[in-house]
Amino acid sequence: MQGLTAALLAWALLHPGGGGGEAWPTHTACRDGGLEVLYQSCDPLQDFGFSIDQCSKQLKSNLNIRFGLILREDIKELFFDIALLTKGSSILNFSYPVCEGDQPKFSFCGRRKGEQVYYAGPVNNPGFIVLSIYPEFDPLSPPPPTWIVATASSLGEYQVLLELYNENHSIVACANATVICS
Amino acid sequence: MAPNVSCLLLAVLFSAGCKVITSSDQMCAEKEANKVYNCEYLGLREIPDTLPNTTEVLEFSFNFLPTIQNTTFSRLINLTFLDLTRCQINWLHEDTFQSHHQLSTIVLTGNPLIFMAETSLNGPKSLKHLFLTQTGISDLEFIPVHNLENLESLHLGSNHITSIKLPTNFPTQNLKILDFQNNAIHYLTRKDIDSLKPATNLSLNLNGNDIKGIESGAFHSKIFQNLNFGGTFDVSVILKGLQNSTIQSLWLGTFEDYEDQDISSAMLQGLCEMSVESINLQKHHFSDFSSTTFQCFTQLQELDLTATHLKALPSGIKGMNSLKKLVLNVNNFDQLCQINAASFPSLTHLYIKGNMKKLDLGAGCLERLENLQKLDLSHNDIEASDCCNLQLKNLPHLQCLNLSYNEPLGLQSQAFKESPQLEVLDLAFTHLHVNVPQSPFQNLHLLQVLNLSHCLLDTSNQRLLAGLPDLRHLNLRGNRFQDGSIPKTNLLQTVGSLEILILASCDLLSIDQQAFHSLEKIHLVDLSHNNLTGDSIAALSHLKGIYLNLAANNIHIVSPYVLPILSQQSTINLSHNPLDCTCSNIRFLTWFKENIHKLEGLEETVCANPPPLKGVKLSDVKLSCGITAVGIFFLIVFLFLLIILFTFLVKYLLRWKYQHF
């Protein structure tokens, strides 16, 4: 019996992580001015790079971001879902079309599966959502149609689930992010 | 020492077992038996032996094949489509596809190609589509030309190409699509364009190449299907360069992340010198928008001004009589009349969706558009207490109207009297206020498709759908019925011509047996995402050969008396139901096995009960139901009584015998 236990132990040591697979490392998208944004890819197949240029509790409306990833799918149509939670309760859910057949908003729209995409530019267009974290946010009222002004004035930790997917609901990128205001 | 050795042996055995498991996990997915296989992301270094020789379509992206040569795919001679996206391919050696005569599509996107041998693409009898996107190509001589005579599309996006000039021996006679997006092409010369000469009706994509100059006369008497110059800083350069060309569709839009120069009326002068049917200018700013801006648009048939920051279209635009299709999505109109529709009398298609402000429909703003066939006013926050006769006055030829995703609309009887030719009406996600017993769709004699999903309808209004003699497709998804049940007399009784009925997500608990009796032509019923039980199937007893979706309901047990009703349908989806896999449901389980070819969503059709079988696919369940304990008890009692009866009978017979002899 002891032999078996030892064998199981040896097996476990020879196969670290078991069958579950390892998670991607947690990256810092920005850390400045009392705001820290950490993210981790939740796409089991790949990691991606993302950073926010100016980072502060008063998130400016003219945000520039950078991201780099390999496309798993064609992105003639691309949609962006965001869910914001604090202490496990949902504050906000929002879905936004990034690329559509009749309106490719960004220059990377229409690129193909397998392409490496690097984007450095603004996300400052009407309707595009930027994390809005403010304590008086009323979860029952719908988000403002254009901008959600970001003033992360309240201290605390927020969880953000981000998902990019195409017209077939195939994942293009997925992230679990944590926003820490201190 | 000995136990240690045995431990190690055991450990090795365990890991061997583990490896076997993982390799069997990494099987290619079969999409269509013996024909279509997906082997993406498996880290494969060769074609697995498990793939049959008959494979025709192979998705092999994101694997590892540094070198491909004539042995790599030699077994799969029936391949027609081969996707080798991002397989880290460096080398394509001689005669790689020599035996693949049927191959018509090769995808090499995202491979760091170092060299393609002269004969590497030889073999296929009719190679039609070649994807060389982001393969590091800087010189078009890199592509071996020997077997490209049948090529219809060539994708060369995201490379380092600076000139579109094809090598002199490059065959272009069948080429229909030439894609150069996101390269470094800044100039187009006459020679460049001449190199495309034998191609007819070519679509040339130069999106994301900042074109700074076109040699004068380069496009002289050239004909193109589509030309895409998306993201160009100065559109006047393009329009000047396209002098004397004939182009079906010209895409000149820009993007959020691109700088562009404001378009002035003078910059559009070049359009007078060319022939274009359709033009897209999305996301540009106009510096001096006036009626003269359009003076060179007189021959245009389609104009797309999506997200061009427009507050109004100028009045008094002259000469746009030929415009058939106008797209004004995502602009800043306050009122529909601000588009000055009278300037476009021939318009058949008008799209104004996703307006950035709440759009007021006004009164009769489109009344001059007598030829209008399709109108899209979705996602506009439109609100109206009495819609839509005044707002959509005089649209006698309108066939297709989209008012989905708006604010509440009040509809009275005959709300669409002004457009009696309507065939398709989409009101999804727009709350509708209809007073009982009004019939808002009355007299839409030609209406075939009506989408009322999530309209918060009052479904108790029996007259709601009155006057729709030709309605074939009705979507009532997300509407609620009183007490969660569809009674015998209901709003469907007036639409006997229905072929497709969607009642998904309606919180239904039950359907009366007679509820659908007037629907005789139906061939698709979607009842998914409700709380229906097996008994509701009885409502379909008079229907045959339909597609029936009962997914995500509350079906535990399907009574034997409804099985014949299921048997007479063509396709049934019972997935995501809490199905009972005990002997009390044995008749259904037997039926399920016998009719498996009719069932859809088998992977998700699983048992919920008994606990040991929870999550097991119904198709895998084997039940042998003998006689239950109660049955055995009654059987014993019955036998016992039989024996008693027999003994009495024997006794009686014997007595009778003695008495008579």
Side-chain angles (χ1 to χ4, degrees):
Chain A
M1 202 60 203
Q2 260 184 347
L4 188 66
T5 318
L8 279 172
L9 193 73
W11 177 65
L13 286 171
L14 279 168
H15 300 270
E22 282 174 66
W24 298 109
T26 300
H27 308 288
T28 308
C30 77
R31 180 186 292 151
D32 210 357
L35 190 74
E36 190 174 355
V37 181
L38 306 171
Y39 75 94
Q40 184 184 32
S41 171
C42 42
D43 177 351
L45 293 172
Q46 65 169 10
D47 200 356
F48 70 96
F50 175 71
S51 79
I52 305 170
D53 275 8
Q54 315 92 3
C55 188
S56 80
K57 269 199 277 192
Q58 242 76 47
L59 278 182
K60 291 194 183 71
S61 63
N62 201 5
L63 269 186
N64 276 300
I65 61 154
R66 300 190 307 126
F67 73 76
L69 86 165
I70 289 169
L71 294 178
R72 287 176 51 181
E73 301 288 339
D74 288 358
I75 53 167
K76 196 175 190 329
E77 309 238 317
L78 183 68
F79 306 94
F80 175 63
D81 275 11
I82 182 165
L84 183 65
L85 301 98
T86 184
K87 293 172 192 123
S89 61
S90 174
I91 305 179
L92 174 75
N93 283 301
F94 201 81
S95 186
Y96 174 78
V98 182
C99 304
E100 288 174 292
D102 59 358
Q103 197 198 359
K105 292 193 179 82
F106 293 89
S107 58
F108 54 76
C109 293
R111 298 185 75 173
R112 291 186 179 276
K113 180 177 94 171
E115 278 198 68
Q116 170 197 327
V117 171
Y118 173 71
Y119 176 82
V123 288
N124 176 28
N125 61 304
F128 205 110
I129 192 161
V130 164
L131 303 183
S132 86
I133 302 159
Y134 49 99
E136 63 275 22
F137 189 83
D138 177 6
L140 293 174
S141 71
T146 56
W147 264 90
I148 292 180
V149 186
T151 51
S153 55
S154 73
L155 305 181
E157 216 177 283
Y158 300 87
Q159 283 78 47
V160 189
L161 303 174
L162 303 153
E163 208 171 76
L164 283 165
Y165 55 91
N166 75 353
E167 65 269 35
N168 306 323
H169 262 268
S170 302
I171 296 291
V172 172
C174 167
N176 281 323
T178 309
V179 180
I180 304 162
C181 307
S182 52
Chain B
M1 203 63 202
N4 278 355
V5 171
S6 69
C7 278
L8 197 68
L9 210 69
L10 259 170
V12 169
L13 269 172
F14 269 116
S15 22
C18 173
K19 261 174 203 150
V20 169
I21 287 161
T22 47
S23 72
S24 68
D25 272 347
Q26 303 207 331
M27 289 266 284
C28 301
E30 185 178 85
K31 301 280 165 191
E32 193 184 319
N34 300 322
K35 280 188 180 170
V36 183
Y37 289 87
N38 185 328
C39 307
E40 291 182 345
Y41 288 100
L42 297 177
L44 300 169
R45 288 164 175 266
E46 57 179 16
I47 299 298
D49 297 334
T50 49
L51 283 184
N53 292 346
T54 51
T55 305
E56 290 173 17
V57 174
L58 180 58
E59 307 258 9
F60 205 75
S61 27
F62 304 97
N63 286 301
F64 186 65
L65 297 171
T67 303
I68 57 173
Q69 52 202 335
N70 61 359
T71 51
T72 315
F73 309 105
S74 55
R75 200 166 56 78
L76 308 177
I77 55 163
N78 291 324
L79 281 178
T80 61
F81 176 97
L82 180 60
D83 187 349
L84 297 171
T85 295
R86 233 164 240 278
C87 283
Q88 302 182 46
I89 301 167
N90 293 136
W91 307 97
L92 260 86
H93 287 321
E94 294 82 356
D95 305 323
T96 300
F97 302 110
Q98 195 57 54
S99 45
H100 301 87
H101 301 312
Q102 315 296 325
L103 197 56
S104 70
T105 304
I106 304 177
V107 185
L108 290 164
T109 302
N111 285 295
L113 299 181
I114 296 170
F115 190 72
M116 294 172 81
E118 279 299 298
T119 57
S120 59
L121 297 177
N122 286 15
K125 289 233 163 68
S126 177
L127 182 61
K128 288 188 176 154
H129 310 285
L130 182 59
F131 291 80
L132 289 166
T133 308
Q134 209 171 63
T135 47
I137 296 177
S138 56
D139 187 342
L140 293 177
E141 302 272 359
F142 185 88
I143 309 162
V145 294
H146 289 302
N147 191 26
L148 302 182
E149 295 80 23
N150 298 302
L151 210 60
E152 290 176 10
S153 73
L154 178 59
H155 301 263
L156 293 163
S158 304
N159 282 302
H160 311 295
I161 298 164
T162 54
S163 163
I164 68 160
K165 188 173 176 300
L166 296 172
T168 43
N169 54 347
F170 200 100
T172 57
Q173 64 271 22
N174 290 312
L175 211 54
K176 296 281 174 254
I177 294 170
L178 190 51
D179 182 352
F180 281 106
Q181 44 178 320
N182 307 307
N183 274 289
I185 299 156
H186 301 308
Y187 295 96
L188 297 174
T189 65
R190 198 188 283 231
K191 275 186 179 164
D192 291 345
I193 307 301
D194 282 346
S195 74
L196 311 174
K197 211 164 194 177
T200 49
N201 284 327
L202 187 69
S203 293
L204 179 62
N205 189 348
L206 289 160
N207 189 32
N209 290 279
D210 188 15
I211 304 291
K212 295 194 166 75
I214 299 178
E215 190 181 343
S216 138
F219 282 87
H220 194 87
S221 54
K222 299 288 190 303
I223 301 170
F224 283 90
Q225 183 72 32
N226 294 290
L227 273 183
N228 187 331
F229 290 100
T232 303
F233 181 75
D234 183 354
V235 294
S236 66
V237 169
I238 308 292
L239 294 176
K240 268 193 208 116
L242 295 180
Q243 256 188 26
N244 282 314
S245 62
T246 304
I247 297 152
Q248 181 91 41
S249 164
L250 178 61
W251 210 91
L252 287 172
T254 188
F255 307 103
E256 291 294 337
D257 50 315
Y258 272 38
E259 298 253 332
D260 70 305
Q261 203 175 342
D262 286 4
I263 295 181
S264 66
S265 302
M267 286 164 72
L268 296 170
Q269 284 299 310
L271 272 173
C272 288
E273 310 285 319
M274 57 192 286
S275 163
V276 190
E277 262 187 32
S278 158
I279 193 164
N280 187 317
L281 291 165
Q282 78 149 23
K283 291 203 170 285
H284 280 291
H285 286 83
F286 289 90
S287 58
D288 56 343
F289 212 73
S290 67
S291 59
T292 58
T293 306
F294 294 102
Q295 63 186 359
C296 291
F297 287 58
T298 50
Q299 301 303 312
L300 210 61
Q301 298 205 4
E302 297 183 14
L303 176 61
D304 190 326
L305 295 170
T306 295
T308 45
H309 319 275
L310 298 175
K311 292 193 173 77
L313 284 181
S315 58
I317 301 170
K318 295 270 178 336
M320 286 197 72
N321 293 333
S322 42
L323 198 72
K324 296 268 190 297
K325 179 176 163 184
L326 178 61
V327 184
L328 296 168
N329 299 342
V330 203
N331 279 299
N332 299 299
F333 304 112
D334 287 307
Q335 221 219 22
L336 191 55
C337 286
Q338 286 168 335
I339 70 161
N340 281 300
S343 309
F344 318 102
S346 307
L347 219 56
T348 57
H349 291 64
L350 176 61
Y351 301 81
I352 308 172
K353 73 170 181 185
N355 197 54
M356 303 296 286
K357 293 179 178 168
K358 191 178 176 73
L359 186 69
D360 176 7
L361 289 183
C365 295
L366 306 177
E367 63 184 336
R368 304 285 290 277
L369 302 181
E370 286 180 16
N371 298 306
L372 201 64
Q373 292 169 13
K374 184 165 184 183
L375 176 61
D376 187 345
L377 292 167
S378 58
H379 295 272
N380 284 334
D381 290 333
I382 293 168
E383 199 171 351
S385 56
D386 184 8
C387 203
C388 297
N389 287 326
L390 190 61
Q391 291 86 342
L392 304 178
K393 203 166 149 189
N394 193 33
L395 297 172
H397 294 107
L398 196 66
Q399 291 169 6
C400 192
L401 174 62
N402 189 345
L403 280 165
S404 61
Y405 296 93
N406 279 301
E407 294 296 313
L409 297 181
L411 303 180
Q412 315 244 328
S413 269
Q414 298 195 41
F416 301 93
K417 201 165 56 182
E418 294 285 328
S419 33
Q421 306 275 321
L422 267 186
E423 289 173 18
V424 179
L425 178 58
D426 189 348
L427 290 158
F429 290 91
T430 298
H431 298 175
L432 300 179
H433 296 306
V434 183
N435 291 330
V436 183
Q438 306 265 30
S439 309
F441 312 111
Q442 186 95 48
N443 295 333
L444 291 178
H445 291 289
L446 301 173
L447 197 73
Q448 298 191 8
V449 180
L450 179 58
N451 188 347
L452 295 171
S453 57
H454 300 276
C455 287
L456 298 189
L457 292 170
D458 179 358
T459 50
S460 64
N461 181 358
Q462 313 267 334
R463 303 289 303 157
L464 186 72
L465 301 171
L468 294 169
D470 210 19
L471 191 70
R472 291 176 197 175
H473 185 150
L474 175 64
N475 190 340
L476 288 171
R477 180 189 299 271
N479 287 289
R480 289 180 135 184
F481 288 78
Q482 209 170 4
D483 305 321
S485 112
I486 305 183
K488 189 176 170 183
T489 49
N490 59 61
L491 77 176
L492 299 171
Q493 257 142 13
T494 57
V495 282
S497 55
L498 270 195
E499 292 173 8
I500 296 175
L501 173 63
I502 318 246
L503 285 166
S505 308
C506 289
D507 285 338
L508 291 174
L509 294 163
S510 68
I511 300 172
D512 186 271
Q513 279 199 28
Q514 299 290 311
F516 297 153
H517 71 270
S518 58
L519 309 175
E520 283 166 357
K521 295 182 177 170
I522 208 117
H523 55 67
L524 186 151
V525 179
D526 184 353
L527 294 167
S528 61
H529 296 274
N530 284 300
N531 288 308
L532 295 171
T533 56
D535 297 335
S536 300
I537 297 167
L540 307 160
S541 59
H542 62 299
L543 301 173
K544 286 189 177 63
I546 67 163
Y547 171 92
L548 174 61
N549 191 351
L550 284 165
N553 272 288
N554 195 23
I555 300 173
H556 299 266
I557 289 184
V558 182
S559 317
Y561 79 95
V562 299
L563 290 179
I565 302 170
L566 287 180
S567 295
Q568 67 200 24
Q569 314 308 345
S570 63
T571 310
I572 304 145
N573 190 334
L574 286 164
S575 61
H576 301 284
N577 274 294
L579 292 164
D580 192 297
C581 295
T582 62
C583 282
S584 46
N585 209 12
I586 186 68
R587 292 278 295 277
F588 167 67
L589 293 169
T590 319
W591 175 89
F592 191 91
K593 290 251 168 69
E594 285 165 358
N595 292 276
I596 208 123
H597 57 282
K598 288 187 176 179
L599 290 148
E600 196 189 64
L602 290 172
E603 291 291 317
E604 289 83 34
T605 312
V606 296
C607 305
N609 193 42
L613 286 178
K614 195 172 177 178
V616 175
K617 279 189 277 175
L618 235 66
S619 49
D620 294 344
V621 170
K622 286 192 183 78
L623 268 191
S624 54
C625 293
I627 300 164
T628 60
V630 184
I632 291 167
F633 174 74
F634 278 110
L635 195 73
I636 290 168
V637 170
F638 179 70
L639 280 172
F640 191 63
L641 287 173
L642 209 70
I643 290 163
I644 294 170
L645 195 76
F646 186 70
T647 34
F648 273 107
L649 203 73
V650 170
K651 266 186 185 168
Y652 178 75
L653 268 173
L654 287 172
R655 199 177 297 161
W656 186 80
K657 219 174 164 182
Y658 280 116
Q659 281 171 358
H660 288 81
F661 292 98

